[in-house]
PDB file of all heavy atoms in Angstrom:
ATOM      1  N   VAL A 149      97.596  98.183  89.559  1.00 89.00           N
ATOM      2  CA  VAL A 149      98.434  99.200  88.966  1.00 89.00           C
ATOM      3  C   VAL A 149      98.687 100.338  89.908  1.00 89.00           C
ATOM      4  O   VAL A 149      97.678 100.747  90.479  1.00 89.00           O
ATOM      5  CB  VAL A 149      97.812  99.660  87.623  1.00 89.00           C
ATOM      6  CG1 VAL A 149      98.694 100.856  87.074  1.00 89.00           C
ATOM      7  CG2 VAL A 149      97.697  98.635  86.692  1.00 89.00           C
ATOM      8  N   ILE A 152      99.360 107.391  90.560  1.00 97.00           N
ATOM      9  CA  ILE A 152     100.030 108.581  91.149  1.00 97.00           C
ATOM     10  C   ILE A 152      99.453 109.851  90.665  1.00 97.00           C
ATOM     11  O   ILE A 152      99.290 110.002  89.505  1.00 97.00           O
ATOM     12  CB  ILE A 152     101.501 108.586  91.092  1.00 97.00           C
ATOM     13  CG1 ILE A 152     102.109 107.306  91.529  1.00 97.00           C
ATOM     14  CG2 ILE A 152     102.145 109.706  91.783  1.00 97.00           C
ATOM     15  CD1 ILE A 152     103.426 106.792  90.869  1.00 97.00           C
ATOM     16  N   ALA A 172     111.765 106.967  84.366  1.00 98.00           N
ATOM     17  CA  ALA A 172     112.614 106.228  85.416  1.00 98.00           C
ATOM     18  C   ALA A 172     111.965 104.740  85.517  1.00 98.00           C
ATOM     19  O   ALA A 172     112.784 103.752  85.594  1.00 98.00           O
ATOM     20  CB  ALA A 172     112.632 106.871  86.651  1.00 98.00           C
ATOM     21  N   GLU A 214      91.169 107.183  91.992  1.00 94.00           N
ATOM     22  CA  GLU A 214      91.535 106.635  93.367  1.00 94.00           C
ATOM     23  C   GLU A 214      93.021 106.300  93.409  1.00 94.00           C
ATOM     24  O   GLU A 214      93.415 105.231  93.271  1.00 94.00           O
ATOM     25  CB  GLU A 214      90.719 105.483  93.614  1.00 94.00           C
ATOM     26  CG  GLU A 214      89.196 105.633  93.589  1.00 94.00           C
ATOM     27  CD  GLU A 214      88.401 104.410  93.818  1.00 94.00           C
ATOM     28  OE1 GLU A 214      88.953 103.350  94.006  1.00 94.00           O
ATOM     29  OE2 GLU A 214      87.137 104.520  93.805  1.00 94.00           O
ATOM     30  N   ASN A 224      99.582 125.726  99.349  1.00 86.00           N
ATOM     31  CA  ASN A 224      98.536 126.700  99.172  1.00 86.00           C
ATOM     32  C   ASN A 224      97.347 126.294  98.208  1.00 86.00           C
ATOM     33  O   ASN A 224      96.376 126.870  98.317  1.00 86.00           O
ATOM     34  CB  ASN A 224      99.150 128.029  98.417  1.00 86.00           C
ATOM     35  CG  ASN A 224     100.067 128.828  99.545  1.00 86.00           C
ATOM     36  OD1 ASN A 224      99.604 128.888 100.737  1.00 86.00           O
ATOM     37  ND2 ASN A 224     101.046 129.255  99.054  1.00 86.00           N
ATOM     38  N   LEU A 235      91.768 109.300  97.507  1.00 93.00           N
ATOM     39  CA  LEU A 235      93.212 108.523  97.965  1.00 93.00           C
ATOM     40  C   LEU A 235      92.757 107.309  98.599  1.00 93.00           C
ATOM     41  O   LEU A 235      91.946 107.382  99.554  1.00 93.00           O
ATOM     42  CB  LEU A 235      93.955 109.453  98.781  1.00 93.00           C
ATOM     43  CG  LEU A 235      95.307 108.814  99.342  1.00 93.00           C
ATOM     44  CD1 LEU A 235      96.262 108.586  98.145  1.00 93.00           C
ATOM     45  CD2 LEU A 235      95.962 109.688 100.339  1.00 93.00           C
ATOM     46  N   SER A 254      92.025 118.891 107.821  1.00 65.00           N
ATOM     47  CA  SER A 254      90.584 119.261 107.557  1.00 65.00           C
ATOM     48  C   SER A 254      89.982 118.770 106.194  1.00 65.00           C
ATOM     49  O   SER A 254      88.764 118.758 106.113  1.00 65.00           O
ATOM     50  CB  SER A 254      90.495 120.844 107.563  1.00 65.00           C
ATOM     51  OG  SER A 254      91.089 121.456 106.536  1.00 65.00           O
ATOM     52  N   PRO A 270     113.135 125.905  99.938  1.00 93.00           N
ATOM     53  CA  PRO A 270     114.418 126.356 100.236  1.00 93.00           C
ATOM     54  C   PRO A 270     115.580 125.411  99.512  1.00 93.00           C
ATOM     55  O   PRO A 270     116.698 126.077  99.235  1.00 93.00           O
ATOM     56  CB  PRO A 270     114.549 126.321 101.733  1.00 93.00           C
ATOM     57  CG  PRO A 270     113.564 125.370 102.221  1.00 93.00           C
ATOM     58  CD  PRO A 270     112.452 125.489 101.183  1.00 93.00           C
ATOM     59  N   ILE A 299     110.722 102.968  92.800  1.00 96.00           N
ATOM     60  CA  ILE A 299     111.669 103.416  91.798  1.00 96.00           C
ATOM     61  C   ILE A 299     112.951 103.829  92.446  1.00 96.00           C
ATOM     62  O   ILE A 299     112.977 104.575  93.407  1.00 96.00           O
ATOM     63  CB  ILE A 299     110.956 104.673  91.209  1.00 96.00           C
ATOM     64  CG1 ILE A 299     109.660 104.327  90.470  1.00 96.00           C
ATOM     65  CG2 ILE A 299     111.926 105.266  90.034  1.00 96.00           C
ATOM     66  CD1 ILE A 299     109.764 103.174  89.276  1.00 96.00           C
ATOM     67  N   ARG A 330     116.569 114.522 102.662  1.00 94.00           N
ATOM     68  CA  ARG A 330     115.846 115.399 103.623  1.00 94.00           C
ATOM     69  C   ARG A 330     114.323 115.199 103.674  1.00 94.00           C
ATOM     70  O   ARG A 330     113.701 115.857 104.571  1.00 94.00           O
ATOM     71  CB  ARG A 330     116.070 116.919 103.207  1.00 94.00           C
ATOM     72  CG  ARG A 330     117.508 117.321 103.291  1.00 94.00           C
ATOM     73  CD  ARG A 330     117.717 118.765 102.933  1.00 94.00           C
ATOM     74  NE  ARG A 330     119.073 119.046 102.704  1.00 94.00           N
ATOM     75  CZ  ARG A 330     119.565 120.329 102.359  1.00 94.00           C
ATOM     76  NH1 ARG A 330     118.644 121.266 102.273  1.00 94.00           N
ATOM     77  NH2 ARG A 330     120.781 120.526 102.272  1.00 94.00           N
TER      78      ARG A 330
END
Side-chain angles (χ1 to χ4, degrees):
V149 176
I152 304 151
E214 297 179 5
N224 287 320
L235 179 63
S254 63
I299 299 295
R330 298 184 187 179

